[in-house]
Amino acid sequence: MNNSYKNIHYFKISWREALFLIFLWVLLYIEPTAIGPLKISQIWKVAVVCCLLIFIAGKKLPGFVWIGIFYSVKYLFYIYFPYGYLLALQDFFESLIFPLFLAYFYLKYKNRSDSSERLMHLAILLSLFLIYSAVPFLFGLKSLNPVTELERYGLEAIAMKGLFYHVAVSSKLFTVATIVLIITWKRFCNSYFNRTVWLSAVLLGSYFVYSSWTRTAWFIFIIALVISLFYGANIKKKLLAAIVCILIFVGLTWLYETNQALRWRLTGGTVYRTDTDLTLENLLQARLPFIIVALENLRNEGMGGQLIGYGTLRGMDLFENKTNMKIISHNKTTEILESSGLIGLFFYLFFWFKLFKMVFKRFKYVSYELKKLTLVSAALFSGFYLTSHGTPFFGEIIFACFLIGVIIEGQRISSKILGTATYCSHPKALY
């Protein structure tokens, strides 16, 4: 066997995992169903948060987890409390999920020698699920969520959303899942069945990103793909990657020239407004007006609102007054500023700073594959953060797998090296 395949843990799914994924599919499918005043989506996520809190209670946690928890708790305190407290509670629970999963993975796997492999397997399993879970909708299964029509682009079709409510969420998850599988291709090379599973997932995932019909996902998918192809590649692989990129560019150019609907989507045009061009100004107009409105709202609310925030519902009310749309700004930074103020934004950025500081401190000790997945995850996170509402729930779980995998694996290997150094007759040789 080729040396490049040594020490590869090939993908294999257990019956227990398969049954759990079937249960998860059913749960996500019925999410929109209401039980009393609450939807199933809200009930099960609150239950997950409560279970994670019980699991970590009384245990020693890394500092970045506590900072992430403080960031989440900050959502509950704002100048117009208790106005909009239900939305504040929703923000609290949703933002708490990521730091709690980081804590859960750290506590569960920190003493295992195969921790990074376990976490890698979980990320791949979830990536496959995110893609294959949408296949039934290709064959006509009706979603319980409202559909997103594409009539404005001259298409008699609906955007691919799979199991999820928002097309923005599904497109990001398809992007994350497909990129993860592209990077981990070696883990599917042990049999024709696994190769077929992998190739089908990558092709389907790429198609789902396209058919979700969101520009953010299109651009970030291409950027992440280019990084994945070139990072750590030798000359031969870089040459092959360059050929692939040229083919992609040619294909996209051909699509742009021949597909009117695609051209309208990229330029911001519709069947009602056809005189548009693909310019930076047009692309910025999709997000910049919302950011400007949010910044104006913050300025008008004064120092109190700027410092501790005025809550999500108040922000939506202000947007409705100015735009006739009861929405939040399409930018993670301004969303945090409106809901939680400068204090909330500080905790959020400090959380990521401490997390990545610990990750990159141990970065040199982990495998090339894990390094690549972590760097691409950072690129995906940054792209989603800068251009939209951030990374969805399941994408954060996948990112958590890689980040905690680096921390635990790097910790284990560095400790082993330092332990060996204790018995070295020339310790200075190690520095």
Side-chain angles (χ1 to χ4, degrees):
M1 183 176 288
N2 190 300
N3 288 335
S4 63
Y5 290 87
K6 287 184 177 180
N7 301 320
I8 290 291
H9 293 254
Y10 295 111
F11 179 78
K12 184 179 180 181
I13 185 172
S14 68
W15 283 108
R16 181 180 297 178
E17 290 169 338
L19 290 173
F20 173 77
L21 292 181
I22 292 171
F23 167 77
L24 181 60
W25 190 96
V26 174
L27 179 64
L28 293 178
Y29 182 76
I30 63 174
E31 266 193 336
T33 306
I35 300 178
L38 299 174
K39 291 183 178 180
I40 289 178
S41 60
Q42 297 169 319
I43 295 172
W44 79 260
K45 287 172 185 173
V46 170
V48 167
V49 168
C50 292
C51 289
L52 291 173
L53 285 171
I54 292 171
F55 180 83
I56 70 172
K59 297 182 175 68
K60 186 176 180 180
L61 300 171
F64 60 80
V65 173
W66 288 113
I67 298 171
I69 292 174
F70 291 152
Y71 157 68
S72 300
V73 171
K74 175 61 191 68
Y75 272 113
L76 301 177
F77 302 94
Y78 50 95
I79 60 173
Y80 288 103
F81 181 86
Y83 179 73
Y85 76 95
L86 288 178
L87 269 180
L89 276 173
Q90 181 176 317
D91 290 335
F92 164 70
F93 280 110
E94 288 182 354
S95 63
L96 198 57
I97 287 172
F98 183 57
L100 289 183
F101 265 103
L102 289 170
Y104 171 76
F105 289 148
Y106 180 79
L107 293 172
K108 183 174 177 62
Y109 294 108
K110 66 177 181 177
N111 295 320
R112 296 186 65 114
S113 60
D114 61 345
S115 57
S116 62
E117 282 303 323
R118 292 274 182 173
L119 289 165
M120 190 84 73
H121 174 79
L122 178 59
I124 294 171
L125 186 68
L126 188 52
S127 297
L128 287 169
F129 170 78
L130 291 172
I131 293 172
Y132 280 113
S133 66
V135 171
F137 300 97
L138 281 178
F139 295 94
L141 179 66
K142 301 297 182 182
S143 174
L144 299 183
N145 292 309
V147 299
T148 301
E149 300 282 354
L150 299 176
E151 291 179 351
R152 68 174 66 181
Y153 307 114
L155 297 174
E156 295 182 4
I158 60 174
M160 170 54 74
K161 295 198 296 186
L163 291 166
F164 304 99
Y165 185 89
H166 291 291
V167 70
V169 169
S170 59
S171 63
K172 291 174 186 178
L173 293 177
F174 293 144
T175 296
V176 172
T178 306
I179 294 297
V180 166
L181 293 175
I182 289 172
I183 295 175
T184 57
W185 64 273
K186 284 186 178 180
R187 294 172 177 266
F188 295 85
C189 290
N190 60 319
S191 67
Y192 286 112
F193 176 77
N194 263 9
R195 290 190 186 99
T196 302
V197 168
W198 177 85
L199 182 60
S200 300
V202 169
L203 292 176
L204 284 168
S206 301
Y207 173 71
F208 291 157
V209 172
Y210 169 74
S211 59
S212 63
W213 222 249
T214 58
R215 290 180 295 186
T216 299
W218 290 351
F219 289 130
I220 294 177
F221 178 79
I222 292 172
I223 292 169
L225 180 61
V226 171
I227 295 173
S228 302
L229 291 174
F230 282 95
Y231 174 77
N234 55 32
I235 297 298
K236 182 179 178 181
K237 289 182 178 178
K238 284 181 179 178
L239 180 60
L240 181 61
I243 294 172
V244 171
C245 289
I246 291 171
L247 292 174
I248 291 174
F249 177 77
V250 171
L252 292 176
T253 302
W254 177 81
L255 272 175
Y256 183 78
E257 294 295 333
T258 60
N259 190 319
Q260 179 66 71
L262 176 70
R263 190 155 61 248
W264 279 336
R265 186 66 185 98
L266 285 172
T267 61
T270 66
V271 293
Y272 316 107
R273 187 183 61 197
T274 60
D275 55 337
T276 54
D277 296 311
L278 183 58
T279 63
L280 180 60
E281 182 182 358
N282 282 336
L283 293 176
L284 289 175
Q285 284 178 351
R287 291 289 185 267
L288 198 55
F290 298 108
I291 296 173
I292 292 173
V293 170
L295 293 176
E296 288 178 350
N297 293 339
L298 281 161
R299 184 183 62 207
N300 295 335
E301 286 297 307
M303 183 60 70
Q306 294 163 15
L307 189 62
I308 66 173
Y310 41 77
T312 299
L313 185 57
R314 171 65 176 172
M316 294 171 69
D317 291 341
L318 294 174
F319 258 91
E320 187 176 27
N321 292 337
K322 291 185 177 181
T323 67
N324 292 321
M325 294 183 290
K326 200 174 182 69
I327 59 172
I328 56 177
S329 61
H330 288 57
N331 178 270
K332 186 67 175 179
T333 299
T334 51
E335 287 172 18
I336 295 173
L337 283 172
E338 287 197 279
S339 299
S340 203
L342 286 168
I343 294 175
L345 183 62
F346 167 78
F347 277 123
Y348 183 76
L349 296 178
F350 191 44
F351 161 68
W352 280 102
F353 170 76
K354 294 293 287 185
L355 174 58
F356 275 109
K357 182 180 179 181
M358 183 173 285
V359 167
F360 287 112
K361 183 178 180 181
R362 293 164 173 79
F363 205 59
K364 62 182 178 181
Y365 298 111
V366 302
S367 68
Y368 157 75
E369 183 186 42
L370 189 51
K371 285 180 182 176
K372 189 172 185 176
L373 285 164
T374 305
L375 285 174
V376 173
S377 296
L380 288 167
F381 163 78
S382 301
F384 295 145
Y385 175 83
L386 294 172
T387 61
S388 63
H389 309 282
T391 306
F393 167 71
F394 288 104
E396 288 184 336
I397 295 179
I398 292 175
F399 292 168
C401 289
F402 303 141
L403 296 171
I404 294 299
V406 171
I407 291 172
I408 295 176
E409 186 71 7
Q411 210 167 34
R412 184 179 64 81
I413 296 174
S414 62
S415 298
K416 188 176 180 181
I417 293 173
L418 292 174
T420 304
T422 305
Y423 301 98
C424 182
S425 58
H426 300 286
K428 289 185 179 180
L430 297 173
Y431 297 91

